[in-house]
């Protein structure tokens, strides 16, 4: 379970998040929605411990992310596979190398790389693109490759921050279907978006953030929300 308990994040004068609390259970597929500047990316960066909250607590199961020691950060990041709008693939490395780098960081023996990379690449539908460089792939393929890179370390959670932001609608729909498949195979999936079509199609839980506040949780009734 991922839990935010009364989390506030300030950057100097700017408040990115104010008193945000939620719990996401294992196996959920949650959309975090809200306009640009609402605080969505800050939620991901707090989960990855890129920075600590100003106030409040964040837990991933028994890991207290809010006061993690520096040496524990790699262990945390092996539990959360992050996916970004701009893919963050290394242009000088092939897709195979980009994905296997995640295994290298985790310390997985090189003898296992081929099997593991091939497995996730097939799963996301880019098994025949592994020897190409990022510049040779389409946007949808690049996002599939970055999802493969997130998956290859077998994290508990896939957290995708506006993964369809650079894609046309049909390609975006394909990425959302892929994330749905990954969720159905048992992973917790969290996706931030401000795309109305994606929000309309989503059948699971929706958390809405506005001005740094969690203003709506689709699984909670009105009287609970305001309690
Ligand atoms: N490192 C930072 N330093 C200062 N302000 C930041 C930083 N990161 C985010 N912010 C501010 O926090 C608010 C929320 O940003 P963000 O989480 O990126 O929103 P979203 O992803 O929903 O667009 C914005 O006002 C943004 O300018
Ligand atoms: Mg953002």
């Amino acid at each position: 379970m991922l839990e935010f308990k009364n989390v506030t994040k300030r950057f100097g004068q700017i408040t990115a998040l104010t008193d945000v609390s939620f719990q996401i259970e294992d196996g959920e597929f949650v959309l975090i929605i809200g306009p640009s500047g609402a605080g969505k990316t800050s939620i991901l960066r707090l989960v990855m411990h890129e920075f600590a909250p100003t106030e409040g607590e964040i837990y991933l199961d028994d890991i207290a992310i809010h006061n993690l020691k520096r040496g524990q950060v790699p262990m945390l990041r092996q539990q959360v596979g992050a996916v970004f709008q701009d893919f963050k693939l290394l242009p000088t490395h092939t897709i195979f190398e980009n994905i296997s780098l995640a295994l290298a960081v985790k310390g997985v023996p090189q003898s296992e790389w081929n099997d593991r990379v091939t497995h996730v690449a097939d799963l996301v539908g880019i098994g025949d693109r592994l020897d190409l460089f990022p510049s040779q792939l389409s946007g949808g393929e690049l996002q599939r490759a970055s999802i493969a890179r997130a998956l290859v370390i077998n994290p508990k959670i896939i957290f995708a921050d506006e993964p369809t932001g650079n894609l046309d609608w049909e390609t975006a729909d394909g990425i959302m279907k892929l994330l749905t498949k990954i969720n159905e195979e048992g992973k917790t999936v969290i996706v931030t978006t401000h795309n109305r079509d994606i929000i309309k199609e989503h059948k699971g839980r929706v958390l809405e953030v506005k001005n740094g506040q969690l203003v709506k949780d689709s699984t909670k009734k009105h009287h609970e929300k305001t309690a």
Side-chain angles (χ1 to χ4, degrees):
M1 184 179 73
L2 175 67
E3 179 169 27
F4 272 52
K5 273 173 126 169
N6 307 106
V7 171
T8 292
K9 178 62 191 174
R10 279 188 285 269
F11 299 98
Q13 305 276 62
I14 300 171
T15 302
L17 294 169
T18 305
D19 197 23
V20 169
S21 299
F22 60 80
Q23 297 180 351
I24 294 176
E25 302 292 337
D26 293 352
E28 281 197 85
F29 188 157
V30 178
L31 279 194
I32 300 179
I33 68 167
S36 181
K40 305 181 297 298
T41 298
S42 297
I43 293 175
L44 170 61
R45 299 183 74 189
L46 284 164
V47 171
M48 302 305 282
H49 198 75
E50 285 184 31
F51 40 65
T54 311
E55 288 166 34
E57 296 165 23
I58 304 171
Y59 294 94
L60 177 61
D61 299 326
D62 50 359
I63 307 173
I65 298 175
H66 53 284
N67 59 20
L68 213 59
K69 295 193 182 67
R70 189 186 303 194
Q72 297 173 300
V73 172
M75 173 272 295
L76 166 72
R77 295 193 183 160
Q78 281 157 27
Q79 310 281 356
V80 186
V83 174
F84 305 95
Q85 176 172 354
D86 60 356
F87 322 125
K88 297 202 193 301
L89 295 160
L90 299 173
T92 53
H93 290 61
T94 64
I95 300 303
F96 181 92
E97 290 165 347
N98 266 281
I99 299 171
S100 53
L101 219 50
L103 293 173
V105 169
K106 188 177 175 176
V108 174
Q110 201 164 349
S111 57
E112 293 179 25
W113 292 3
N114 198 46
D115 282 355
R116 289 183 64 166
V117 173
T118 309
H119 174 74
V120 290
D122 286 341
L123 182 80
V124 304
I126 55 154
D128 55 353
R129 299 292 194 277
L130 285 171
D131 294 331
L132 300 179
F133 288 87
S135 62
Q136 298 171 300
L137 268 62
S138 71
E141 289 166 344
L142 290 170
Q143 198 50 295
R144 286 170 191 273
S146 87
I147 292 170
R149 180 189 51 193
L151 273 177
V152 76
I153 56 167
N154 197 24
K156 274 191 195 138
I157 296 178
I158 293 290
F159 198 139
D161 191 21
E162 310 244 14
T164 64
N166 285 334
L167 307 175
D168 60 71
W169 165 245
E170 265 191 48
T171 310
D173 193 44
I175 293 296
M176 291 307 291
K177 289 199 167 80
L178 171 61
L179 290 167
T180 302
K181 179 172 93 169
I182 289 165
N183 171 249
E184 285 167 358
E185 289 179 4
K187 286 227 189 294
T188 308
V189 175
I190 305 171
V191 176
T192 76
T193 187
H194 59 246
N195 182 309
R196 286 176 195 282
D197 293 318
I198 286 173
I199 297 164
K200 215 161 48 189
E201 299 261 311
H202 184 68
K203 291 173 187 70
R205 182 175 174 198
V206 177
L207 300 177
E208 184 174 356
V209 195
K210 259 186 196 163
N211 283 324
Q213 285 176 295
L214 184 61
V215 294
K216 198 166 163 192
D217 180 344
S218 65
T219 56
K220 296 210 168 151
K221 295 194 189 76
H222 184 69
H223 65 274
E224 289 171 336
K225 183 182 73 188
T226 51

